[in-house]
Amino acid sequence: MKIGTVIMNKRKALGYTQQTLADKLNVSFQAVSKWENGTNYPEMEMLPMIASVLDTSIDSLLGYKPFMVSDYDKRYDTADYYWGITPNNLCYEIMKLRPPIKPLKVLDIGCGEGKDAVFLARNGYIVTAFDLSEAGIEKGKKLAEKWNTHVDFFKADITDFRATKYYDIIFSSGVFHMIKPEIRKEITANLKECTNKNGIHAINVFVEKPFVSEPPDKDANWFRWNSGELFMLYYDWKLHKTEEIIFDCNSGGIPHQHCMDIMIAERVK
């Protein structure tokens, strides 16, 4: 993304107006407006201050991701598929509600190693999918090649990504816990806006419960949701499924439990 778009997204996530940001930076709101619409750019000397005020890094402002091997890159750097290749049950529910009798565009957010994205593509959907893990993306491409199908894979971070194209189906499994509470409303509002009429969202989120311990393979960027929090963000959509479950899991080789809210919602207007 261009620096102006990054500044705008970070500003809105913090709840700042252009004037608020301008005051914090000792510049005019017109200057902030020009940065965000791409007609001008901030001076290099201002980047550290802008990054500090927006609680981010200069690399993030410039659209760069620091080179690092994420925890998921390590998990996915094996011949086997960490999550297996059996599709999530939500994929079958998607097919029941929106069978691919005509071209339907799907966005898979946080696709991991691509098992669900490839399954949907094999069944006739036009699938775009992204994940933060380079290793996951590469394994997804190999899985698609194995099944002689196509998925438009790309690398992105859910906290920075904002949809600009329209989709019929937006799917995400086990990823929304990476979204900090203060930007959840903004991100879901963007995804809802970029959904065609009668399009659906099929999403699950890990939920905080005092009697369910944190999983052993939890990483530092987990932010579990409150019960029903996801459903409330879709109060203005038709809710086809709202379910909360507690289930056993053996990911990472250590038995543990998760609590999860599962939702399928339809945009009717």
Side-chain angles (χ1 to χ4, degrees), residues 39-71:
T39 59
N40 204 349
Y41 300 96
E43 299 290 336
M44 288 293 294
E45 294 79 5
M46 288 204 66
L47 293 182
M49 182 184 297
I50 296 172
S52 177
V53 168
L54 294 177
D55 192 24
T56 189
S57 66
I58 294 175
D59 279 348
S60 292
L61 281 180
L62 297 174
Y64 296 121
K65 289 288 182 184
F67 177 77
M68 63 179 180
V69 178
S70 73
D71 184 47

Side-chain angles (χ1 to χ4, degrees), residues 79-140:
D80 296 329
Y81 281 72
Y82 187 83
W83 308 110
I85 58 173
T86 302
N88 189 289
N89 286 336
L90 276 175
C91 293
Y92 296 105
E93 296 194 51
I94 287 170
M95 293 183 68
K96 290 178 183 177
L97 271 175
R98 294 293 182 272
I101 55 177
K102 63 178 181 179
L104 294 174
K105 294 183 179 179
V106 177
L107 175 65
D108 182 351
I109 297 174
C111 62
E113 298 162 297
K115 65 182 181 66
D116 298 318
V118 171
F119 173 80
L120 291 170
R122 286 172 55 203
N123 282 280
Y125 296 91
I126 303 168
V127 183
T128 299
F130 72 83
D131 198 272
L132 180 59
S133 169
E134 190 73 45
I137 292 296
E138 289 306 310
K139 290 179 79 172

Side-chain angles (χ1 to χ4, degrees), residues 143-155:
L143 190 61
E145 184 178 353
K146 175 183 176 180
W147 288 104
N148 194 29
T149 192
H150 175 74
V151 174
D152 182 14
F153 286 109
F154 66 95
K155 182 178 178 180

